Amino acid sequence: MLPTNLNKSAIIAVLLTCIAIASWEYYLRKQEIPISYDNLSPLWAHKRAKVYTPSDKATVFIGASRIKFDLDTDEWRSITGTEAIQLAWEGSNPIPVLLDLAADQKFKGNLVVDVTEELFFTPAIGQNVESPNNAIKYYKEETPAQKVGSVINNFFESQFVFLDKESLSLSALLDQVHIKNRANVVSPPTFPIEFFRVKFSRQTYMTPKMIADTLIQQKVQGIWTYYAKMAEKEPPLTDSMINAAMQTVKTAVDKMKARGCKIYFVRTPSSGPMLMGENMGFPREKFWNKLVEFTGCPAIHFMDYPEINHFVCPEWSHLSPADAIVFTRAFAKILREEKGFSYAVYKED
């Protein structure tokens, strides 16, 4: 039986679609863009479900983007024989995730909290906590069908570059079209795709192009400068706001300590103008030192250790993949030798 005109049209449409998708995928791979997983609520929820793994087999990490770039999850597993459960969110205050874990009586593991002062001490409202709050809600309400859908989606994401929603969907590509600023209308900057890719572990890493191309690095530096200028327009943090944040953290930490959790704070590296601005805007004695003293938790500030205080971040705020491996090795060693952190297995080179 010969196909009808309608069937012929459908076959042609399918073929053209397949050719278009294959061509797009081929182009992206020729551009040396690595595969990336969507860093959205479903992937976060998948990792959140793992926090009940015994403490001798896993450690939970929360914070903002620095711990996602700076902790190499494969290296951590190689050194410690344990899994790094990555629950940090880029550009977000980690306190909602901290409170979620504190309220979960079943969580009794090890927790490492990364502190980026300008995010950690700001009020946990608005866009500052939108991503973690949405992810927590998704985790609590996720249906079996959504879990199955995530497994299927993750499989295809592991095979095709073009499935990256955050950078390569139509809406994401349209966001990258810069519209000239007008009176009272400012087009926010967008990060170049070379800046970061996301592994299934939720580790974020810079691409080789980002490391090699100073123009791409300068574009990201320009974005940090843009946000710094925007932050200057915000009212300064008051002592009452800072104290409120610390009290919230202490209450959550004390809850977890009472049921056997071990909590550690870390200040991961920054450099250049970023570090200078942070030292001026968030003096250590008023923020980091006070937080450590107030909570009574073991803590590691990168400036205190020669092994990790020498890094130069390509765009001032995050480590390169090579430096992330070095940092992870040193960090695991400091935790073990100076902070009482124990591993089921510990392997040094």
Side-chain angles (χ1 to χ4, degrees):
M1 181 177 173
L2 293 175
T4 64
N5 289 335
L6 181 60
N7 288 339
K8 287 181 180 179
S9 298
I11 293 171
I12 292 172
V14 170
L15 288 174
L16 290 175
T17 300
C18 291
I19 292 171
I21 292 174
S23 299
W24 180 226
E25 179 72 12
Y26 176 76
Y27 170 79
L28 294 172
R29 289 180 181 267
K30 289 293 287 184
Q31 297 301 307
E32 299 179 353
I33 297 174
I35 282 171
S36 183
Y37 290 83
D38 290 327
N39 186 37
L40 302 173
S41 294
L43 186 57
W44 187 91
H46 177 268
K47 305 308 176 189
R48 172 62 176 82
K50 292 178 174 290
V51 303
Y52 310 113
T53 305
S55 60
D56 64 339
K57 296 181 179 177
T59 299
V60 180
F61 293 83
I62 68 173
S65 60
R66 286 178 185 163
I67 195 66
K68 288 194 73 203
F69 276 87
D70 297 359
L71 185 86
D72 187 282
T73 54
D74 291 336
E75 189 67 19
W76 176 270
R77 186 184 304 109
S78 175
I79 294 169
T80 69
T82 66
E83 184 176 359
I85 301 173
Q86 184 56 266
L87 296 182
W89 273 107
E90 293 87 347
S92 298
N93 188 322
I95 289 180
V97 180
L98 181 70
L99 294 177
D100 176 56
L101 293 173
D104 189 343
Q105 295 295 320
K106 294 187 295 182
F107 173 62
K108 299 179 181 180
N110 297 325
L111 176 66
V112 175
V113 184
D114 182 39
V115 177
T116 301
E117 294 89 349
E118 55 264 45
L119 294 169
F120 193 90
F121 291 101
T122 53
I125 56 175
Q127 290 185 338
N128 191 26
V129 292
E130 182 177 0
S131 291
N133 280 339
N134 287 343
I136 292 168
K137 183 175 185 294
Y138 184 93
Y139 167 72
K140 292 179 178 179
E141 299 176 357
E142 187 178 24
T143 65
Q146 287 174 320
K147 291 181 180 180
V148 172
S150 294
V151 172
I152 296 172
N153 186 59
N154 290 336
F155 169 76
F156 284 106
E157 281 183 313
S158 70
Q159 305 299 313
F160 299 105
V161 177
F162 79 91
L163 290 176
D164 177 8
K165 291 180 183 177
E166 291 185 280
S167 300
L168 297 172
S169 65
L170 179 59
S171 60
L173 292 172
L174 289 174
D175 286 341
Q176 295 174 30
V177 178
H178 181 73
I179 300 174
K180 187 176 180 181
N181 295 337
R182 306 181 301 280
N184 300 320
V185 179
V186 178
S187 177
T190 57
F191 291 103
I193 193 171
E194 296 89 354
F195 176 35
F196 68 92
R197 304 272 80 199
V198 180
K199 296 182 180 181
F200 183 64
S201 65
R202 294 191 74 249
Q203 178 188 340
T204 309
Y205 67 97
M206 300 178 191
T207 69
K209 279 190 175 182
M210 172 70 186
I211 304 303
D213 194 331
T214 56
L215 291 178
I216 301 176
Q217 295 172 20
Q218 289 168 9
K219 183 174 181 179
V220 180
Q221 291 168 358
I223 294 174
W224 299 144
T225 301
Y226 166 84
Y227 283 120
K229 290 180 179 178
M230 294 290 289
E232 290 175 358
K233 300 177 183 179
E234 298 293 327
L237 294 175
T238 64
D239 288 342
S240 61
M241 293 166 67
I242 298 170
N243 292 336
M246 291 196 183
Q247 185 58 59
T248 298
V249 173
K250 178 173 171 53
T251 300
V253 164
D254 287 347
K255 279 185 182 179
M256 287 187 278
K257 285 181 178 179
R259 59 176 186 259
C261 296
K262 294 182 179 179
I263 299 95
Y264 304 80
F265 287 99
V266 59
R267 172 48 160 95
T268 39
S270 55
S271 64
M274 177 73 76
L275 179 58
M276 291 175 59
E278 289 169 336
N279 287 339
M280 292 175 60
F282 300 89
R284 181 168 171 175
E285 62 276 5
K286 185 176 180 180
F287 290 89
W288 171 263
N289 292 355
K290 187 175 179 181
L291 174 69
V292 174
E293 180 181 0
F294 193 60
T295 60
C297 292
I300 297 171
H301 193 295
F302 79 99
M303 289 299 294
D304 294 338
Y305 298 89
E307 309 97 306
I308 55 176
N309 70 3
H310 62 280
F311 296 113
V312 176
C313 303
E315 36 64 74
W316 307 335
S317 191
H318 306 87
L319 297 181
S320 68
D323 283 344
I325 291 174
V326 177
F327 172 82
T328 302
R329 289 173 183 163
F331 180 53
K333 185 175 183 180
I334 294 167
L335 280 172
R336 177 176 179 267
E337 295 184 355
E338 298 192 24
K339 304 301 177 181
F341 200 105
S342 61
Y343 309 107
V345 177
Y346 182 76
K347 182 180 68 176
E348 286 189 279
D349 292 338

